[in-house]
Amino acid sequence: MTLQDTGFLEVRNIEALYGSAILAVRDVSLTVGKGKIVALLGANGAGKTTTLKAVSNLLGPERGHVSKGTILWRGIPVGALSASRLVAQGVVQVLEGRHCFAQLTVEENILSGGYVRKPGRAELARSLEQVYAWFPRLKEKRKVKAGLTSGGEQQMVAIGRALMTRPRLVLLDEPSMGLAPIIVQEIFEIIRTLNTQAGVSFLLAEQNANLALRYADHAYILENGRVALSGTAEELRRREDVHDFYLGGAPASRPN
């Protein structure tokens, strides 16, 4: 399954409110280019999740709304598309906390992502086998109820389910949260594989800046709902203030 993308994501000076009064994101601008991994970094409450939900059009009257600015996906305003239509256009979000269907098997969870495209049986089977090629562990657990698998396996299920939509851009919210370091490393290696081999672009919100900057091409650091710093991952890794405040003073190197 080779995924192509001829466009890009552009967020221009957005402002997002929770309810009618709480300003969660203010004047945020960012770009995700074709075939790129972009990290959205910052502490809990910095506005990362709100930004992702604004991009995927998952904000609403009760959960918040974009009150200012523009979000374009391949030149089309996201506000003109429903969340389901945006998925059909190639943008899918993996929510924080994984959100698997606990009583369904691993395979049933993954397959549920494929029905968005209404594929034929043969195409669905091919997509499933491709997901298993990327996540061999899931094939071993395919008949196990998702609620009985580990946190890392549930994260893989959630990503695999998203990949069944054949996305051009995947929005990942805190993929490392609550997982052991060795599992986090495995998941980020899979993200890099999906990026380099399948051409999937990623916008990932992550508190673990040290890890994210090892895999990202570009990064934006949010503070109190604003972009405090941005640049290539290499540039940010070399900045002393980024090391002091976000990387614990230790240099971060990119994997070979």
Side-chain angles (χ1 to χ4, degrees):
M1 180 168 57
T2 301
L3 307 178
Q4 302 295 328
D5 190 4
T6 57
F8 60 92
L9 173 74
E10 187 172 357
V11 177
R12 299 176 180 171
N13 308 109
I14 66 164
E15 186 175 89
L17 297 170
Y18 274 128
S20 60
I22 301 175
L23 188 60
V25 169
R26 60 195 79 188
D27 199 31
V28 167
S29 297
L30 61 87
T31 299
V32 180
K34 175 187 174 183
K36 299 298 182 181
I37 299 175
V38 175
L40 197 58
L41 308 175
N44 187 34
K48 303 187 302 298
T49 294
T50 300
T51 301
L52 290 190
K53 287 185 175 180
V55 170
S56 59
N57 217 0
L58 290 178
L59 295 176
E62 295 181 358
R63 292 163 292 182
H65 65 282
V66 175
S67 56
K68 187 177 177 182
T70 305
I71 302 172
L72 298 174
W73 167 243
R74 303 176 73 192
I76 301 172
V78 165
L81 302 171
S82 66
S84 59
R85 182 62 181 160
L86 193 56
V87 171
Q89 291 287 324
V91 180
V92 64
Q93 181 166 350
V94 179
L95 296 169
E96 178 185 338
R98 299 174 276 278
H99 296 283
C100 293
F101 301 111
Q103 295 305 312
L104 298 182
T105 66
V106 164
E107 187 161 294
E108 288 168 340
N109 268 272
I110 296 170
L111 285 171
S112 69
Y115 296 123
V116 174
R117 296 185 289 108
K118 300 180 181 178
R121 183 175 298 179
E123 182 185 353
L124 191 67
R126 286 194 297 270
S127 296
L128 178 64
E129 285 307 311
Q130 181 62 78
V131 169
Y132 283 151
W134 285 321
F135 298 92
R137 187 184 306 189
L138 297 186
K139 189 167 188 177
E140 298 173 5
K141 298 289 186 73
R142 62 188 184 278
K143 299 302 180 185
V144 177
K145 287 186 178 180
L148 300 178
T149 60
S150 69
E153 289 163 348
Q154 289 180 30
Q155 184 66 277
M156 293 177 192
V157 168
I159 297 172
R161 183 175 58 201
L163 293 172
M164 290 292 288
T165 70
R166 302 188 70 178
R168 294 177 173 89
L169 172 66
V170 175
L171 312 175
L172 274 177
D173 196 358
E174 302 288 359
S176 73
M177 182 173 287
L179 302 181
I182 190 170
I183 300 299
V184 172
Q185 185 77 31
E186 183 178 353
I187 286 172
F188 270 82
E189 285 293 333
I190 292 169
I191 290 169
R192 184 169 66 160
T193 297
L194 291 167
N195 175 251
T196 58
Q197 295 184 8
V200 184
S201 300
F202 286 89
L203 175 60
L204 58 93
E206 180 58 66
Q207 289 189 54
N208 188 336
N210 204 333
L211 179 67
L213 288 176
R214 293 175 58 202
Y215 289 86
D217 299 293
H218 199 95
Y220 298 83
I221 298 176
L222 295 186
E223 288 183 358
N224 300 317
R226 295 181 184 273
V227 176
L229 289 171
S230 67
T232 68
E234 182 66 25
E235 290 170 345
L236 293 178
R237 285 197 303 270
R238 291 177 176 176
R239 287 185 59 137
E240 290 187 8
D241 54 348
V242 173
H243 283 294
D244 291 341
F245 290 101
Y246 299 100
L247 306 178
S253 59
R254 191 181 182 96
N256 296 324

